[in-house]
Structures are given as C-alpha cells and as structure tokens.
C-alpha cells in the first residue's frame, strides 16, 4: 500500500491499475463532485447521522467525517480486503466519528459465500457487486478471487438516536436489495435523501429500472 496526500485526506491506496487508486495517485481526487453533493445535502446541523453504504476505501466517508465532525458517519463495506483499507484511511485521518462495518446491507439477514475480486489483477475493484447477475454480466464486476463469507444485515434492523441527514449508496446494481430491506427504516426516518449511483448505460440496469 502507498499513502498519498489527496483532496479527500491522507489515503492508503493500492499500487497498480485499480481505478480509484489510480485516480487518487494521478489526480489527487476521485469523483469529488459526489463528495460536494453529499456535503450540500447533509447540511450543517448540530447533529445527525450519515450512512455510507458501499463505502469502498472511504473517498466519501473520510471527507464527510472531516467536514461534519458533529455527525456520526456509519460506513458499510462488504469486501474484507477493501474494508481493511477503509479502516486504515479512517485512522490516518483521525475520523473518530466514523463507525465502520465489514458487512453488506441487503434485503435480509444472514451470511452468503461469494467470490471476491482478484486484488492483484482487477482494474476496478469498486465495480465488484454483491449481485450475482451484475458479476456475470458486467466485465468490470467479475470476481476471479477466492470465495469468502459476507455477513448481511437489513436497514430495518437499525436504529439511531439522531436524525438521518443523508444516505449515500454505491452498491453496483444491488440498490433494490438495500431498499427492500429498509422500507420500514426509511419510513420511520421520514425518507431521508439518498445519493446513489445509476449505471443507466448498461442494458442490465435498464432491464431493472421499472422495479
């Protein structure tokens, strides 16, 4: 791992051609427009909670935690290896308001055995998905690594004592599973704003758009 000074903060990045790491190394940032959007929507309240579902290495988690020290940032990353990277970046930036979980937010509770990426050769580790359909149909999302058990939880089983200011969701085609496991949670929290990634250029995602 290399440690770089970036717009997001000090970041532990993977050497090689991984998309996010390469952008941080070459440009010093990755999708900073998403960070800006999240910061605007989250507002400047005295307290609150931000949920980062699909946090990857923390390019949103870390700057949001630094910009909103009065908020709790709860971040979920199902890939064990990437989760370790996330924790390293949280520690490097002294983000004591971050709570990180090596779990997947899904439509149900339990554990699933799932193929992980090959971290030595994959050029876009962040494109990996919990969805088997996405992994089978999107070349960037293909696994190729070892099989690991991933613990799954539902949003509906979570409760916070502060208002939810923002949900950022970057789960590579797994959005419906996250939402289906959180309908009661969203209603109970007055449907907080959600920032999510939509890959409308892929036929697979267009097929599920009406769902």
């Amino acid at each position: 791992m290399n440690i770089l000074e970036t717009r997001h903060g000090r970041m532990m990045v993977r050497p090689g051609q991984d998309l996010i790491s390469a952008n941080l190394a070459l440009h010093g940032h990755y999708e900073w427009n998403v960070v800006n959007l999240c910061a605007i929507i989250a507002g400047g309240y005295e307290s609150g909670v931000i949920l980062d579902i699909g946090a990857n290495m923390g390019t949103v988690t870390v700057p949001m935690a630094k910009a909103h020290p009065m908020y709790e940032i709860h971040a979920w990353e199902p890939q064990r290896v990437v989760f370790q990277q996330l924790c390293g970046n949280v520690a490097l930036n002294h983000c004591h308001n971050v709570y990180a979980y090596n779990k997947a937010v899904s439509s149900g509770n339990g554990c699933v055995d799932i193929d992980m990426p090959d971290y030595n050769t994959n050029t876009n580790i962040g494109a990996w998905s919990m969805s088997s359909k996405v992994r089978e149909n999107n070349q960037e999302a293909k696994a190729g690594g070892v099989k690991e058990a991933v613990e799954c939880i539902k949003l509906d089983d979570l409760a916070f004592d502060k208002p939810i200011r923002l949900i950022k969701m970057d789960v590579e085609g797994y959005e419906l599973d996250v939402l289906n496991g959180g309908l009661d949670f969203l209603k109970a929290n007055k449907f907080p704003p959600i920032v999510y990634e939509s890959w409308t250029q892929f036929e697979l995602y267009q097929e599920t758009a009406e769902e």
Side-chain angles (χ1 to χ4, degrees):
M1 288 288 183
N2 299 322
I3 296 178
L4 303 177
E5 297 292 342
T6 76
R7 194 170 185 179
H8 305 259
R10 298 188 75 200
M11 302 297 286
M12 180 187 299
V13 302
R14 185 176 301 280
Q17 296 303 308
D18 172 57
L19 179 67
I20 299 177
S21 293
N23 272 271
L24 291 174
L26 290 172
H27 308 296
H29 62 85
Y30 177 74
E31 293 187 346
W32 190 254
N33 58 318
V34 176
V35 177
N36 276 334
L37 178 62
C38 289
I40 291 169
I41 294 175
Y45 301 96
E46 291 184 358
S47 66
V49 173
I50 295 173
L51 309 185
D52 189 352
I53 303 173
N56 200 274
M57 68 172 70
T59 53
V60 172
T61 297
V62 168
M64 291 299 288
K66 294 168 71 174
H68 300 279
M70 70 294 283
Y71 290 4
E72 293 180 5
I73 317 295
H74 292 261
W76 288 266
E77 174 50 50
Q79 296 185 61
R80 175 183 57 83
V81 172
V82 179
F83 169 75
Q84 292 168 349
Q85 194 175 357
L86 166 66
C87 291
N89 290 329
V90 167
L92 281 173
N93 290 276
H94 309 288
C95 297
H96 304 302
N97 55 331
V98 172
Y99 301 79
Y101 312 94
N102 182 205
K103 300 177 182 180
V105 180
S106 185
S107 57
N109 296 314
C111 270
V112 295
D113 289 328
I114 192 165
D115 292 320
M116 292 294 165
D118 184 336
Y119 296 103
N120 294 316
T121 62
N122 196 297
T123 59
N124 191 358
I125 294 169
W128 178 89
S129 176
M130 285 289 296
S131 166
S132 59
K133 183 179 289 187
V134 172
R135 294 197 308 277
E136 292 166 3
N137 289 275
N138 178 11
Q139 184 65 34
E140 287 190 316
K142 289 190 181 300
V146 299
K147 190 181 293 291
E148 294 190 8
V150 175
E151 183 180 352
C152 299
I153 64 159
K154 297 190 303 180
L155 283 177
D156 281 346
D157 292 332
L158 303 179
F160 300 94
D161 58 4
K162 299 176 183 178
I164 308 298
R165 303 301 183 188
L166 170 72
I167 298 174
K168 170 259 177 183
M169 182 169 58
D170 187 351
V171 293
E172 309 297 325
Y174 203 61
E175 295 82 7
L176 286 177
D177 291 84
V178 174
L179 294 174
N180 284 333
L183 297 177
D184 292 337
F185 175 87
L186 295 174
K187 183 177 180 181
N189 288 278
K190 301 179 181 179
F191 298 100
I194 300 175
V195 172
Y196 69 98
E197 181 181 45
S198 177
W199 284 16
T200 54
Q201 71 270 34
F202 291 106
E203 183 177 346
L204 170 66
Y205 294 90
Q206 294 171 0
E207 292 174 359
T208 60
E210 293 184 2
E211 297 181 33

